[in-house]
Amino acid sequence: MQYNEVLVGLKTYEAGKPIELVVREFGIEAKDIMKLASNENPRGSSPLVIEAIKQEAGKAHLYPDDSYYELKDALAKKYALQSANIIIGAGSDQIISFALHAKANNKSAILMARTTFAMYEIYGKQTGATILKTESHEHDLNELYDLYQKNTNIAVIFLCLPNNPLGECLDTKDVYDFLDKIDKNTLVVIDGAYQEYAAYKDKNKAIDVQNLIEKYENVIYLGTFSKAYGLGGMRCGYGIANAGMIHELHKLRSPFNITTLSLKAAIIALSDQEFVQSSIALNFEQMKRYEAFAKQNGFDFIQSYTNFITLRYPQTQNATQIATMLLKKGIIIRDLASYGLNALRVTIGTSEQNTRFFETYTNHSRQ
Amino acid sequence: MQYNEVLVGLKTYEAGKPIELVVREFGIEAKDIMKLASNENPRGSSPLVIEAIKQEAGKAHLYPDDSYYELKDALAKKYALQSANIIIGAGSDQIISFALHAKANNKSAILMARTTFAMYEIYGKQTGATILKTESHEHDLNELYDLYQKNTNIAVIFLCLPNNPLGECLDTKDVYDFLDKIDKNTLVVIDGAYQEYAAYKDKNKAIDVQNLIEKYENVIYLGTFSKAYGLGGMRCGYGIANAGMIHELHKLRSPFNITTLSLKAAIIALSDQEFVQSSIALNFEQMKRYEAFAKQNGFDFIQSYTNFITLRYPQTQNATQIATMLLKKGIIIRDLASYGLNALRVTIGTSEQNTRFFETYTNHSRQ
């Protein structure tokens, strides 16, 4: 059977190793495995969410209210916008897919930083578009603008603020200066999956979403419940833009694209801001330990505005070897070798988890 | 902003009215609303599933094992196939989308019965392909083959066995005769969302999936957990085909396309076949009451191999008016006027629900 040409160049996404896989591959018991690889909230979900899921379990046979009325209403209130400005996705990465399929095609190009969220490229290639990346791994607005000027067919630009998997974050005022120079027919995706963390750490990185989309009709902002809200497994995110763009993207959304329990969980998670804020506070408190650990052990790290930290190694140390050693001890982190980096991305865990990480790491280094 | 041309012709899917919407629109209390519109299992989910969801609620923050190892393994055993023959989707309709994006494009056509599952056309149009339909509302293999011969650019053919929203089902031997005449470069989707019901009612409609995909390399079979398995709200389905086709479709699947709780729910649901079989038995027992009711009230029905029944009205009666009357009384069913039919689709409910339907209907008719 012959398939569409676009499939030829596509590879499947490789997710962080799940605990179940390590159980099978290394024969380590599930209870002894610690996963710091997928930037899940180490505190879990809000207790209110867990209780709500239990109460709604008996509705698993019922399709959700496909208008997502209550969730959109709550998000609209949070951002001081209208429900018509909001689209719900199965994770914010589904909105990435909608945006790309709405704008990009085999005649256009998509622009992004060299090392950023892998799904931009994967979904991008599904449209047949060309992928353009900066030379720098981290976001560099000058380089991005340079490429934008040299290529007249750029349909979509991605800015990941803060950036996954590196952790850095542009200042919002610089982003605005950049957006001022971009044609209104180029769609700019501002991916705020980790924005709650950045806004907490440094107000210069905080994005006023209402102001952003009112000022720029060509911008869509993405948010998610997977990180600070502790709902990674529930697959729920959202896109915010002017009502015209949201109307177009809705044409690509399939009905019931999130589950009945995810809808409930997201509504309750949004109401428990105390859980979110205390999760973020814990995150940055614990992150200091990783920064100190890196300095003590002679390797570098990227200043992080997220719930993970990227450790960069000198040529004398091999990050992949370290990741493999940790895996054999039941600790799953993300090796960034596939991005051309001698670096590891570690999700900031609970105090106990981080202690285990440091101890296992140190014991190995001494061998 | 200019969007891709393909969006111009797209409309958004209109789902059955959710209970929440009727609460808002008509001011009826949620507890007084009865929904027989979305073919959900009226018995709910298996008690084992509900218990498993409650136990797993504390894992809502964790992404699922993206290999879906355990679920694929269980499905492979059920169908006497390999995991490599299986792809998991957020409902089987996500697999429809994968199949279309893998094969169809703006130079090809997609063939289907005139009145069948709406998502074939909606996803089909997203690829830019032309939609071809038979004149007959129900599946007619002669008409389908006639169109197939007259149009050399048909990339995908859909057969919904049994058919939603009409309920009829082709005999499997006739389907095989049809498949024998189809070129191996044309992908045929056999949508078995309601196949468990058809197989129970009439063994001539039962499909041996292992035999089907071994005999036809160009066929993909779709199954779902949304109907007989009682997990409509969990969004989990699957596609079964030869390993080569499944490998290609995986290129279009995004990571974590079902939720952590959906994965668990599907695994447990598959293990509780007693729940499935007793749900189906109840369904056909109750369906007899609808058939008798139709005869008593002077309208027709389509012989149904599903968990719903389609009532067809003579010109002297207006189905839309009846649907509106029932809605005002808090009963949600599906009006098929948008398909050009003077007909209603009613999900077979529990004994109590069906009694309420008949009583409300009869009281109205007497007014």
Side-chain angles (χ1 to χ4, degrees):
Chain A
M1 165 128 12
Q2 272 202 315
Y3 296 95
N4 281 333
E5 232 173 86
V6 78
L7 262 70
V8 177
L10 294 186
K11 283 179 193 166
T12 52
Y13 174 87
E14 225 176 288
K17 269 188 199 294
I19 289 171
E20 293 84 348
L21 198 69
V22 179
V23 170
R24 293 193 298 272
E25 276 187 16
F26 296 93
I28 304 170
E29 279 191 61
K31 67 170 177 53
D32 295 330
I33 295 172
M34 178 171 86
K35 187 181 170 198
L36 297 176
S38 296
N39 306 336
E40 294 142 337
N41 190 328
R43 288 182 65 213
S45 315
S46 151
L48 300 179
V49 167
I50 295 173
E51 189 50 39
I53 290 173
K54 287 179 180 171
Q55 283 190 11
E56 296 272 304
K59 292 187 181 170
H61 63 299
L62 299 175
Y63 290 100
D65 171 1
D66 191 52
S67 74
Y68 303 144
Y69 178 90
E70 199 180 342
L71 177 58
K72 283 189 194 170
D73 194 51
L75 283 167
K77 285 200 176 75
K78 175 181 165 61
Y79 288 107
L81 289 161
Q82 305 300 312
S83 292
N85 296 114
I86 299 166
I87 182 167
I88 304 297
S92 55
D93 71 272
Q94 193 176 48
I95 318 283
I96 296 168
S97 162
F98 296 157
L100 283 165
H101 282 281
K103 275 298 285 184
N105 55 52
N106 59 10
K107 293 179 195 70
S108 60
I110 299 164
L111 179 60
M112 65 191 75
R114 176 161 163 198
T115 296
T116 189
F117 188 43
M119 294 311 297
Y120 306 155
E121 179 167 356
I122 291 175
Y123 287 130
K125 284 185 174 169
Q126 288 180 10
T127 70
T130 306
I131 308 296
L132 295 173
K133 295 181 179 182
T134 58
E135 293 238 334
S136 303
H137 284 284
E138 291 158 82
H139 283 65
D140 181 313
L141 287 172
N142 291 329
E143 273 189 65
L144 284 164
Y145 188 63
D146 195 43
L147 283 166
Y148 179 70
Q149 280 194 302
K150 284 182 185 153
N151 296 275
T152 54
N153 64 338
I154 292 175
V156 184
I157 302 173
F158 284 95
L159 298 177
C160 193
L161 305 174
N163 187 26
N164 173 25
L166 298 183
E168 95 278 7
C169 193
L170 297 169
D171 277 2
T172 302
K173 70 169 172 40
D174 297 333
V175 173
Y176 271 55
D177 289 345
F178 175 80
L179 292 174
D180 285 336
K181 296 184 287 183
I182 302 301
D183 189 277
K184 290 291 174 281
N185 195 30
T186 304
L187 197 161
V188 183
V189 178
I190 306 261
D191 186 344
Y194 298 87
Q195 172 61 211
E196 290 87 355
Y197 296 95
Y200 178 97
K201 185 172 184 174
D202 182 350
K203 69 178 188 332
N204 294 318
K205 317 291 187 190
I207 293 170
D208 177 340
V209 178
Q210 187 205 36
N211 182 269
L212 178 75
I213 69 151
E214 283 185 359
K215 199 160 153 51
Y216 303 104
E217 67 186 56
N218 58 328
V219 167
I220 183 163
Y221 175 87
L222 307 186
T224 186
F225 290 97
S226 298
K227 307 301 170 189
Y229 287 89
L231 294 181
M234 300 305 282
R235 315 305 296 125
C236 187
Y238 52 90
I240 300 182
N242 73 77
M245 191 194 296
I246 294 298
H247 175 79
E248 293 299 319
L249 298 187
H250 264 118
K251 293 180 180 177
L252 296 173
R253 187 190 70 89
S254 9
F256 315 125
N257 60 326
I258 66 168
T259 79
T260 298
L261 299 182
S262 305
L263 178 60
K264 187 70 183 183
I267 292 165
I268 302 298
L270 203 56
S271 75
D272 192 355
Q273 287 295 325
E274 199 190 314
F275 174 83
V276 174
Q277 293 306 313
S278 60
S279 294
I280 297 171
L282 173 77
N283 175 69
F284 286 116
E285 193 185 295
Q286 290 294 316
M287 193 182 284
K288 287 181 196 152
R289 298 177 66 194
Y290 281 87
E291 294 173 355
F293 186 77
K295 281 175 194 155
Q296 281 162 19
N297 287 272
F299 51 84
D300 203 7
F301 63 89
I302 297 172
Q303 189 66 240
S304 171
Y305 296 87
T306 65
N307 69 346
F308 59 83
I309 189 162
T310 296
L311 310 173
R312 298 185 87 158
Y313 290 86
Q315 283 191 329
T316 51
Q317 293 184 60
N318 183 315
T320 301
Q321 276 176 12
I322 297 167
T324 305
M325 175 280 293
L326 290 167
L327 190 61
K328 285 178 182 165
K329 304 281 179 196
I331 298 177
I332 314 174
I333 57 168
R334 183 69 77 98
D335 178 14
L336 299 183
S338 64
Y339 294 92
L341 289 166
N342 187 23
L344 301 174
R345 189 191 72 180
V346 186
T347 304
I348 308 298
T350 59
S351 175
E352 297 71 25
Q353 288 178 316
N354 300 328
T355 299
R356 180 177 162 193
F357 175 87
F358 300 133
E359 286 179 357
T360 308
Y361 196 114
T362 306
N363 289 340
H364 161 78
S365 300
R366 286 191 187 135
Q367 281 169 359
Chain B
M1 166 121 18
Q2 275 202 314
Y3 296 95
N4 280 334
E5 232 172 86
V6 78
L7 262 69
V8 177
L10 295 186
K11 284 180 191 165
T12 52
Y13 173 87
E14 224 175 289
K17 269 189 200 292
I19 289 171
E20 294 83 349
L21 198 70
V22 179
V23 170
R24 294 193 297 272
E25 276 188 14
F26 296 93
I28 303 171
E29 280 191 62
K31 67 170 177 53
D32 295 329
I33 295 172
M34 178 171 86
K35 187 180 171 200
L36 297 176
S38 296
N39 307 336
E40 294 142 335
N41 190 327
R43 289 181 65 211
S45 314
S46 151
L48 299 179
V49 167
I50 296 173
E51 189 49 38
I53 290 172
K54 288 180 180 170
Q55 283 190 12
E56 296 273 303
K59 293 188 181 168
H61 64 298
L62 299 174
Y63 290 100
D65 171 1
D66 191 51
S67 74
Y68 304 143
Y69 178 89
E70 200 180 342
L71 177 57
K72 283 189 194 170
D73 195 49
L75 283 167
K77 284 199 176 77
K78 176 181 163 63
Y79 288 107
L81 289 163
Q82 305 299 312
S83 292
N85 296 115
I86 299 166
I87 183 167
I88 304 297
S92 54
D93 71 271
Q94 193 176 48
I95 318 282
I96 297 168
S97 162
F98 297 157
L100 284 165
H101 283 280
K103 275 298 285 184
N105 56 52
N106 59 10
K107 292 180 194 71
S108 58
I110 299 164
L111 178 61
M112 65 190 73
R114 178 163 163 196
T115 296
T116 189
F117 188 42
M119 295 310 297
Y120 306 155
E121 179 166 357
I122 292 174
Y123 286 130
K125 283 184 175 169
Q126 288 180 10
T127 70
T130 306
I131 309 296
L132 294 174
K133 295 181 179 181
T134 57
E135 294 237 333
S136 303
H137 284 284
E138 291 158 81
H139 284 64
D140 181 313
L141 287 172
N142 291 329
E143 273 189 66
L144 284 164
Y145 187 63
D146 195 43
L147 284 166
Y148 179 70
Q149 279 193 304
K150 283 181 186 152
N151 296 274
T152 54
N153 63 338
I154 291 176
V156 184
I157 303 173
F158 284 95
L159 298 178
C160 194
L161 305 174
N163 186 27
N164 172 26
L166 297 184
E168 95 278 6
C169 192
L170 296 169
D171 277 1
T172 302
K173 71 170 171 42
D174 296 333
V175 173
Y176 271 55
D177 289 345
F178 175 79
L179 292 175
D180 286 335
K181 296 184 288 183
I182 302 300
D183 189 278
K184 289 292 174 283
N185 194 30
T186 304
L187 198 161
V188 183
V189 179
I190 307 263
D191 186 344
Y194 299 87
Q195 172 61 212
E196 290 87 356
Y197 296 95
Y200 178 98
K201 186 173 183 174
D202 182 350
K203 69 178 185 337
N204 294 318
K205 317 292 188 189
I207 292 170
D208 176 339
V209 178
Q210 187 205 35
N211 182 268
L212 178 75
I213 69 151
E214 284 186 358
K215 199 160 152 54
Y216 303 104
E217 67 187 57
N218 58 327
V219 167
I220 184 164
Y221 174 87
L222 307 185
T224 185
F225 289 97
S226 297
K227 306 302 171 187
Y229 287 89
L231 294 181
M234 300 306 280
R235 314 304 298 125
C236 187
Y238 52 91
I240 300 182
N242 73 78
M245 191 194 295
I246 293 298
H247 175 79
E248 292 300 318
L249 298 186
H250 265 117
K251 294 180 179 176
L252 296 172
R253 187 190 70 89
S254 9
F256 315 125
N257 60 326
I258 65 168
T259 79
T260 298
L261 299 182
S262 305
L263 179 60
K264 187 70 183 183
I267 292 165
I268 303 298
L270 204 56
S271 75
D272 192 355
Q273 287 296 324
E274 199 190 314
F275 174 83
V276 175
Q277 292 307 312
S278 60
S279 294
I280 297 172
L282 173 78
N283 175 69
F284 286 116
E285 193 186 295
Q286 290 294 316
M287 193 182 285
K288 287 182 197 152
R289 298 176 66 194
Y290 281 87
E291 294 173 354
F293 186 77
K295 281 177 194 156
Q296 283 160 20
N297 288 273
F299 51 84
D300 203 7
F301 63 89
I302 297 172
Q303 189 66 240
S304 171
Y305 296 87
T306 66
N307 69 346
F308 58 83
I309 190 163
T310 296
L311 310 173
R312 298 186 87 158
Y313 290 86
Q315 281 190 330
T316 51
Q317 294 184 60
N318 184 314
T320 300
Q321 277 176 11
I322 296 167
T324 305
M325 174 281 293
L326 289 167
L327 189 61
K328 286 177 181 165
K329 305 282 178 193
I331 298 177
I332 315 174
I333 57 169
R334 183 69 78 97
D335 178 14
L336 299 183
S338 64
Y339 293 92
L341 289 166
N342 187 26
L344 300 174
R345 190 191 71 180
V346 187
T347 304
I348 308 299
T350 60
S351 176
E352 296 71 25
Q353 288 178 317
N354 300 328
T355 298
R356 179 176 163 195
F357 175 88
F358 300 134
E359 286 178 358
T360 308
Y361 196 114
T362 306
N363 290 340
H364 162 78
S365 299
R366 287 192 188 135
Q367 279 169 0

